[in-house]
Each structure stands twice: as C-alpha cells, then as structure tokens.
Amino acid sequence: MKRGWAYGPGGRALRLKTLGIAFSTGSNGGDYQPDGRYGRTLDEVTVPFEPMAVHTGMHYLPPFTLTGARECDDAAIAVSGQAYLHHLHHLRHVEPRLIASGKDDDRARTVYPEDEAVHT
C-alpha cells in the first residue's frame, strides 16, 4: 500500500483491480449487531476497507465472513469452506459495493518533500 505504487504519483498498481475480503471472528454473529457486544455490524467493522479501495482506485466487493469460529467443529468449518468456494465462484455475478472510475484523483499530484529530493 505504498505511495507511488498503490496511490499518489505513479501509484496505479491497484487501479481497477477488485478487492474482496474474507475473515472469521471468534465471537458469534449476535455480537456484531447494534445491540450486541461490540455495538457494530460486520458491515460497519469492514468500513475502513472501502475508503482504502476508493483511495487506490479499486472496486470493492461485499466481504465473506464466518462468525463464531472458535465454536465451530470440523463439519461447520467444511460447510463454511464450501460456502466460501461458492462465494468466490459467484463473484462475477455480484455487483461491487463500490465501482472505481479509474480516474486519477487531483490530490494524487501533490508533491511531498521526499518527491522533491528525488527530483532535484
């Protein structure tokens, strides 16, 4: 995620690529509700990935999650694994939450002191 590679002047390595995240939690799904233990939904917890996608020019897909992983037995893990494979297989039919335009952000032209040192 380095400036000049992922964003900023010359930073186009991630532009128009697609970001999809997958993660598990030890806590159960009920903990991730407005009235749950954490007071936030999983969508709210993953919000920081959205501005990162925007900043780097990526499309952003809905996340895949497994909650209550610490209580899952082998059968439940296998079911989740199959659900993840299904998720991956069907991503081409999923509308991204964010669709990048591919246009450069005018702020990407900002010259930072370390850039001046390279160009002098």
Side-chain angles (χ1 to χ4, degrees), residues 22-66:
F23 65 97
S24 62
T25 69
S27 299
N28 67 45
D31 286 345
Y32 294 96
Q33 299 298 322
D35 61 345
R37 179 178 179 190
Y38 301 113
R40 299 280 186 262
T41 65
L42 288 173
D43 279 340
E44 291 172 317
V45 171
T46 60
V47 162
F49 291 96
E50 292 181 22
M52 181 187 67
V54 169
H55 190 60
T56 57
M58 290 189 287
H59 309 305
Y60 180 71
L61 295 169
F64 178 86
T65 60
L66 167 65

Side-chain angles (χ1 to χ4, degrees), residues 71-110:
E71 298 170 4
C72 288
D73 59 15
D74 289 345
I77 297 290
V79 167
S80 180
Q82 288 300 314
Y84 183 53
L85 289 174
H86 183 265
H87 176 78
L88 292 174
H89 181 69
H90 290 91
L91 283 177
R92 66 181 145 226
H93 305 294
V94 174
E95 183 69 24
R97 285 188 182 178
L98 298 172
I99 300 176
S101 69
K103 295 180 182 177
D104 283 328
D105 185 329
D106 287 337
R107 292 172 298 159
R109 293 179 181 79
T110 304

